[in-house]
Amino acid sequence: MLRRLLLAGAILVALAGVYFSGVNTADTAASPPSIRGRNGTVLFLTTTANGLSNVHLATSYALLTNHPSLEVHYASFARLAPEVARISASARAKNPAAGSIQWHELRGLDYVDAAFRSWNSSDGLVSPPGQAGLDAMLNTLEYGVAPWHPEEHWELYQEVAKLIEEVDPAVIALDVCLRPAMDYRFNVDRRFVIISPNALSDIFSFHQPYAAALWKYPSLGSDLPFPIPWSKITTAIWERLRFVLWVVSNPRLLEVRAYLRDKGVQNPLDLAAGPSEEQPWLLMSFPEANAPLTRIPPGAVICGPMVLDLAPAEQQDPELVAWLKRAPTVLVNLGSAVKYTEQRASAMAASFAEVLEKTDVQILWKFRKSGEFDDGFLKPIDKYVESGRVRLENWLNVDPPSLLQTGDVVLSVHHGGANCFYETISAGIPHVILPLWLDLYNFATTAEYLGVGIWPGRDTAPEWHADTLAKGFLAALVGDESVSMRQKAKALGAVAATYGGRDRAAAEVARLAVQQ
């Protein structure tokens, strides 16, 4: 059995070597593109998913306020237009010299709408971590990587190409999940930059020496801790090799690639190409908030948290900020995609009851239902809701990072999304992470490794149980472990501030936009 496993592993390692041979490892100087574009002009091309586009929106805001002489364009789907308009208005309020972003609406099917044809809702993304959920995770990932049908992908590719030629920007800032635009960068000699919220270890594990991606770092969606125990190395290798095999053999990806190649597109759906001096990546992740890496490739620009907070919280929602001042607050914000099933809502409410009985905190709970069910789940905390000690909000009318920066939030409970993770890191606040899918599990593992957070219910994920949740919340709020977490979180927040965040990213984009 062991010999067969080793043989299979050797074959898959060879496949990995072939596929990831395109990973850029050479430290070469950048050469200027043959098509320079209009000097001082920037075009952002993104999806509408908040978890992906917020770093671009934050960077565009910093461009307007810090580099008002630049001409900034933004192209995405209709759903994002109001947010782009808000960015422009906020920038002008901060700096009267700032211009407005010129908006371009993409006509094709939005990434979110295309992917949800398969996922149906965010519940369709949910899968257990590790080997138990590997097949489900890869089925989900198939439509995350290639949500569009081949014909739709090609139409968006053409639309993107036409728009770039019309705007003629000096630099184009891309979202990794807008794959038609990512494909186009290999087919025209222009200046591109990728802005990504993803963790360094998720992006660059295959850049590490000694095939460390296979045995040192947990694979996407893994439940393995970091460092990986020796007893789990075989599991780690198997999970990673399953992912590699999927990348090189998935029928849907092969179909889309073949269709696009027939249309003359070079390197379609290239998931291996990393940053280079010619096409740098601006990254929200930074080494101190990540599993340690031996090598970060040339072209990777570490910016730190690019958070989207456009004004102090008291300016955005003074009434909510006044409520925050009443008591130390636990912010429960599971991002824009997560909705609560009745089971999860009941487990969460029951856990809150124990926390509220044993501490003096109050809870701000961003809550949206998945499906129809009555409010019976609130019974354990009815008295706290009535007294105002628990506050439920369907949506927050304030940028979450602004709330975290008030100093009134003592614990951030989130789902492990990149934005929530780095917003909490930036604020120097401990985490409780409740992941449900894909890389959310990896961020939960990282928080525990860094000593700044807890993943309660690792053994039962993605299912929640009230007693496990309550135990995790209390551990982060009271006792010796909570003191250590607060100290480490505060120290890490101070480190995050040294990188510059969205201002650093904007400065790099501005530099590329005015290069001669």
Side-chain angles (χ1 to χ4, degrees):
M1 174 66 182
L2 180 59
R3 290 182 63 185
R4 285 197 294 271
L5 179 59
L6 291 173
L7 176 60
I11 294 171
L12 287 172
V13 168
L15 285 171
V18 171
Y19 186 76
F20 291 101
S21 61
V23 169
N24 185 10
T25 59
D27 188 0
T28 57
S31 57
S34 60
I35 305 174
R36 299 294 184 91
R38 291 189 296 122
N39 201 41
T41 305
V42 180
L43 171 63
F44 289 85
L45 275 159
T46 77
T47 65
T48 62
N50 298 108
L52 301 168
S53 63
N54 273 10
V55 289
H56 303 81
L57 293 168
T59 302
S60 67
Y61 173 76
L63 274 176
L64 291 180
T65 56
N66 299 344
H67 308 274
S69 63
L70 295 180
E71 181 180 313
V72 181
H73 297 251
Y74 203 114
S76 187
F77 304 93
R79 188 180 287 122
L80 203 61
E83 187 68 356
V84 171
R86 185 173 81 99
I87 296 291
S88 293
S90 297
R92 289 194 300 273
K94 182 177 181 180
N95 181 358
S100 294
I101 297 173
Q102 299 186 39
W103 169 253
H104 305 269
E105 184 174 321
L106 297 177
R107 298 187 305 275
L109 189 65
D110 184 4
Y111 172 88
V112 175
D113 294 332
F116 272 54
R117 289 182 298 194
S118 170
W119 299 339
N120 296 318
S121 70
S122 60
D123 291 337
L125 289 164
V126 176
S127 62
Q131 294 192 71
L134 197 54
D135 288 338
M137 184 202 75
L138 292 176
N139 288 338
T140 296
L141 194 60
E142 176 178 317
Y143 289 90
V145 172
W148 295 282
H149 299 320
E151 299 82 1
E152 295 169 340
H153 191 116
W154 169 240
E155 289 172 3
L156 263 175
Y157 178 98
Q158 292 176 294
E159 185 177 359
V160 163
K162 181 180 179 182
L163 176 63
I164 289 174
E165 295 310 305
E166 290 174 352
V167 174
D168 192 25
V171 62
I172 303 112
L174 298 181
D175 171 349
V176 292
C177 283
L178 190 61
R179 297 309 308 187
M182 290 288 284
D183 289 343
Y184 186 63
R185 70 192 167 117
F186 293 118
N187 292 266
V188 65
D189 190 18
R190 284 183 175 272
R191 180 76 70 195
F192 291 89
V193 60
I194 289 84
I195 308 179
S196 172
N198 298 102
L200 296 178
S201 53
D202 290 343
I203 302 172
F204 299 138
S205 61
F206 277 96
H207 291 75
Q208 305 311 301
Y210 310 114
L214 297 176
W215 57 269
K216 185 174 181 179
Y217 302 99
S219 187
L220 186 71
S222 179
D223 59 352
L224 296 175
F226 184 89
I228 298 172
W230 282 106
S231 61
K232 298 293 185 180
I233 292 294
T234 302
T235 300
I237 293 172
W238 174 243
E239 289 179 357
R240 183 70 75 172
L241 292 177
R242 278 288 310 278
F243 174 75
V244 171
L245 182 60
W246 174 85
V247 168
V248 299
S249 66
N250 178 267
R252 181 178 178 84
L253 302 190
L254 292 175
E255 178 190 8
V256 175
R257 288 187 183 117
Y259 183 92
L260 294 172
R261 286 194 187 101
D262 286 346
K263 296 294 186 180
V265 178
Q266 300 178 40
N267 301 326
L269 289 185
D270 188 334
L271 306 182
S276 65
E277 297 290 352
E278 287 79 13
Q279 295 190 3
W281 288 43
L282 311 184
L283 302 166
M284 180 152 70
S285 184
F286 58 101
E288 294 86 352
N290 199 82
L293 298 172
T294 302
R295 184 176 186 279
I296 296 177
V301 181
I302 306 299
C303 298
M306 304 175 220
V307 298
L308 186 62
D309 56 336
L310 303 184
E314 55 267 23
Q315 293 181 19
Q316 298 184 56
D317 194 335
E319 186 277 327
L320 178 58
V321 171
W323 178 85
L324 288 179
K325 302 294 182 187
R326 296 182 3 170
T329 301
V330 176
L331 173 62
V332 183
N333 173 22
L334 272 61
S336 58
V338 176
K339 296 182 180 180
Y340 287 81
T341 62
E342 186 171 12
Q343 186 278 328
R344 290 194 192 99
S346 298
M348 189 72 90
S351 74
F352 288 166
E354 184 175 347
V355 171
L356 292 162
E357 288 169 7
K358 295 180 178 179
T359 71
D360 62 350
V361 302
Q362 61 183 9
I363 297 173
L364 175 57
W365 187 7
K366 180 185 171 186
F367 177 84
R368 293 187 298 161
K369 292 180 180 179
S370 176
E372 296 295 327
F373 53 91
D374 62 34
D375 290 342
F377 71 93
L378 289 173
K379 186 174 181 180
I381 56 171
D382 271 344
K383 65 179 181 180
Y384 300 112
V385 174
E386 291 172 5
S387 69
R389 198 172 161 198
V390 174
R391 178 165 174 160
L392 284 84
E393 298 286 350
N394 181 261
W395 193 257
L396 297 173
N397 295 316
V398 57
D399 298 318
S402 301
L403 289 178
L404 295 174
Q405 294 290 347
T406 61
D408 301 310
V409 176
V410 296
L411 179 64
S412 174
V413 180
H414 60 87
H415 63 316
N419 285 306
C420 288
F421 180 82
Y422 290 112
E423 289 163 4
T424 303
I425 291 288
S426 182
I429 295 170
H431 315 236
V432 167
I433 302 183
L434 305 175
L436 295 171
W437 60 73
L438 297 172
D439 61 335
L440 309 188
Y441 293 118
N442 300 77
F443 279 112
T445 294
T446 299
E448 291 198 326
Y449 165 71
L450 296 172
V452 299
I454 296 174
W455 174 6
R458 176 191 287 264
D459 295 337
T460 62
E463 299 306 317
W464 297 349
H465 300 284
D467 56 344
T468 304
L469 295 180
K471 183 179 179 181
F473 297 151
L474 290 169
L477 288 168
V478 297
D480 292 342
E481 187 177 5
S482 71
V483 173
S484 175
M485 275 194 288
R486 286 194 294 273
Q487 292 172 343
K488 291 179 178 178
K490 184 178 180 180
L492 190 57
V495 173
T498 65
Y499 282 96
R502 67 191 186 193
D503 291 337
R504 173 73 179 89
E508 182 66 15
V509 172
R511 182 186 69 82
L512 295 171
V514 297
Q515 276 191 346
Q516 298 299 322

